[in-house]
Amino acid sequence: MSPRKTTRSSSTVSTTVNTPRTLGPRRPGRRTGRLLAASVAAACLGAVAVPASAAESAGTEPVVSRGVTIPDFYNPPAQLPSADGSLVRTEELPLGLSLPGLDGRQMPGTATRLMYKSTDAGGGPVAVTGAYIEPSAEWKGGGDRPLVALASGTMGQGDQCAPSLSLQHPLTIGAGTVSIGYDNIAVYRLLAAGTAVVVTDYAGLGATDRLHTYVNRVDEGHALLDAARAARSVDGASITPESRVGLYGYSQGGGASASAAELQPSYAPDVNLAGTYAGAPPADLTEVMKGIDGSALAGALGWSINGFAQTDPSLKAVVEANINDVGKAALKDTSTMCVGDAILGYAFTDSKKWTADGTSLADIIAAEPKLQAILAQQRIGNLKPAAPVRLATGVHDDIVGHRQARQLAVDWCGKGASVTYAAVLLPNLGDKILTNHLAPYLTDQGSAISWMTDRLSGKKATSNCRSMPLQP
């Protein structure tokens, strides 16, 4: 049931994304959808980095996603390196706003667009894109300059939503889409502390050869860890193999950083992990999907179904049997949407409108052993992170539910992990409208970055697992 990423666009292209020189095999574009808009503010500071080598293009039609032309850089080559974290290609990445410093260096740093090799959930090679930013600020925490690998929150499923593109264009507007780089603020705050930052686009978000698999924990965790590996090879990077590494993310990014923290001991022991911040992690997708259903972010159900159907093609038959024509059209439509588009197009949609027999997706999952098994495999909390973790969750978060996030802290504590659990106590700001999910993201960010810089400075974390029975 997963839509192809290579449908041809038949409308006039309108884009804020500048297409760089031809760098890889091109694929056909996508059909543009109906005009959507979103009104969220974003800020962006940055500079221009140094381009490196790239592959040649086959010279066919460029990829167009909802009116936005995807730069050729994002088209993966036919062959990838064998080692995870190996760079495929790089080029300069001009950030949205660059300010000259007193010493002549650009503030807050210089940026490089990346494509690197990772391994997907099926064990196959996958090209992942992202960005590395070398900060202008001095690192004063002692030791080699550290690195933060940042996993963005939900951006959408269309390639135009890629976080690395949002670093260049904080607000990207196409013929039928608006993408906003809201996680850029966290990136700049980390750079101001003197830490280098690498941002992953995740598998299939930006890279045009496949669909973004959204909350697939293995794809996300591998992509984030391999971004940390790839950063070490960027020309001009001051980080070293000995540099302490932090993993940082909220919402979808919190799930990615939590998964990466669990997978790091076995998948990437060479990454010198000092600590992980996992904010509002979707650890139990069965519960999270219940919270998303009927909410302002209901369109994310489409991204989840599309992603899992791509990872496991046998699910297509299950989707075909349970989703009606309205649902199938929604799955296709959401597959090219950014988060703002999905909010305006599918906010508060009840999944019963998408199903063949009028039951909810939660009821379908409960009655379908294959779906239950797949979601069980996505559960985060079955492995022990080797490095300290700070897990934050808003007590009224009803989108990425508080209880399931708290349970992840309990699970990790039970395995002997070092967990700093932070319950964000805010008033109930309105059910199902995203406010209870977004407010902790903003109010906790300063504490999260402070905790992270302490870990990167070598300071010991204090676990509060003993007080978990008393924590909200």
Side-chain angles (χ1 to χ4, degrees):
M1 189 55 230
S2 170
R4 291 176 59 85
K5 292 194 70 172
T6 55
T7 54
R8 187 179 302 271
S9 172
S10 59
S11 62
T12 302
V13 174
S14 171
T15 178
T16 61
V17 178
N18 296 322
T19 304
R21 66 185 186 279
T22 299
L23 294 170
R26 303 168 117 178
R27 292 170 172 79
R30 291 180 173 147
R31 296 184 187 279
T32 57
R34 66 178 180 270
L35 180 62
L36 299 173
S39 54
V40 183
C44 191
L45 299 172
V48 177
V50 180
S53 61
E56 293 298 322
S57 169
T60 55
E61 185 181 353
V63 172
V64 178
S65 183
R66 301 187 88 90
V68 177
T69 300
I70 308 303
D72 293 338
F73 182 94
Y74 292 82
N75 297 329
Q79 298 295 323
L80 296 175
S82 59
D84 290 321
S86 295
L87 287 175
V88 177
R89 64 179 69 137
T90 64
E91 70 171 18
E92 70 175 34
L93 174 60
L95 300 184
L97 178 62
S98 181
L99 301 176
L102 296 177
D103 59 0
R105 293 185 298 172
Q106 295 297 109
M107 297 292 291
T110 55
T112 304
R113 201 186 318 268
L114 312 176
M115 179 182 287
Y116 59 93
K117 187 262 184 182
S118 188
T119 295
D120 66 18
V126 57
V128 181
T129 55
Y132 171 80
I133 306 101
E134 175 73 18
S136 299
E138 180 183 354
W139 169 246
K140 299 179 181 179
D144 294 338
R145 187 191 296 277
L147 172 72
V148 172
L150 187 140
S152 293
T154 295
M155 294 293 286
Q157 204 159 43
D159 288 331
Q160 77 279 12
C161 320
S164 63
L165 287 173
S166 75
L167 284 166
Q168 182 175 1
H169 303 284
L171 178 63
T172 296
I173 302 175
T177 193
V178 174
S179 182
I180 300 159
Y182 58 88
D183 261 327
N184 293 356
I185 298 173
V187 172
Y188 311 143
R189 295 181 74 169
L190 289 163
L191 291 170
T195 69
V197 177
V198 65
V199 178
T200 182
D201 289 339
Y202 302 121
L205 187 59
T208 57
D209 62 332
R210 64 180 68 196
L211 199 65
H212 174 42
T213 48
Y214 194 41
V215 286
N216 184 300
R217 68 175 182 87
V218 176
D219 279 6
E220 290 182 323
H222 286 183
L224 188 59
L225 291 167
D226 287 326
R229 286 167 157 163
R232 299 192 298 236
S233 300
V234 173
D235 188 29
S238 61
I239 59 170
T240 71
E242 289 72 40
S243 292
R244 294 187 181 99
V245 176
L247 306 175
Y248 186 102
Y250 187 90
S251 193
Q252 180 188 359
S257 63
S259 175
E262 289 190 341
L263 295 171
Q264 179 268 337
S266 59
Y267 182 76
D270 55 303
V271 172
N272 185 18
L273 187 57
T276 297
Y277 167 66
D284 183 345
L285 295 186
T286 300
E287 293 303 314
V288 173
M289 290 179 76
K290 294 176 184 177
I292 290 175
D293 199 345
S295 76
L297 198 59
L301 292 173
W303 301 331
S304 300
I305 295 170
N306 289 336
F308 288 128
Q310 176 178 256
T311 299
D312 185 352
S314 69
L315 276 181
K316 294 179 181 179
V318 177
V319 173
E320 288 287 344
N322 288 282
I323 302 297
N324 61 23
D325 289 343
V326 172
K328 292 171 185 176
L331 295 184
K332 182 177 180 181
D333 193 24
T334 57
S335 72
T336 58
M337 281 184 165
C338 296
V339 64
D341 314 336
I343 290 173
L344 291 178
Y346 292 98
F348 310 114
T349 295
D350 190 323
S351 66
K352 293 177 182 178
K353 296 180 180 179
W354 291 2
T355 60
D357 60 1
T359 60
S360 69
L361 284 176
D363 289 338
I364 290 174
I365 292 169
E368 177 54 61
K370 186 172 182 61
L371 294 176
Q372 293 178 38
I374 287 174
L375 293 186
Q377 291 171 0
Q378 296 300 322
R379 179 72 178 264
I380 305 172
N382 292 321
L383 301 171
K384 175 187 172 183
V389 179
R390 184 180 189 272
L391 191 155
T393 167
V395 296
H396 292 297
D397 194 332
D398 53 349
I399 303 296
V400 181
H402 167 66
R403 284 189 178 182
Q404 60 85 41
R406 184 188 186 280
Q407 184 60 47
L408 175 58
V410 172
D411 292 343
W412 277 341
C413 286
K415 296 181 185 305
S418 173
V419 180
T420 301
Y421 171 74
V424 182
L425 302 173
L426 294 171
N428 190 327
L429 300 174
D431 293 336
K432 296 286 190 177
I433 59 175
L434 281 176
T435 45
N436 286 327
H437 181 61
L438 294 177
Y441 165 77
L442 298 172
T443 60
D444 188 57
Q445 190 173 90
S447 297
I449 291 175
S450 177
W451 182 92
M452 178 62 69
T453 53
D454 281 347
R455 304 292 77 75
L456 296 174
S457 297
K459 296 179 182 179
K460 185 177 176 59
T462 302
S463 174
N464 60 359
C465 280
R466 290 187 178 181
S467 67
M468 279 303 304
L470 304 176
Q471 298 272 12

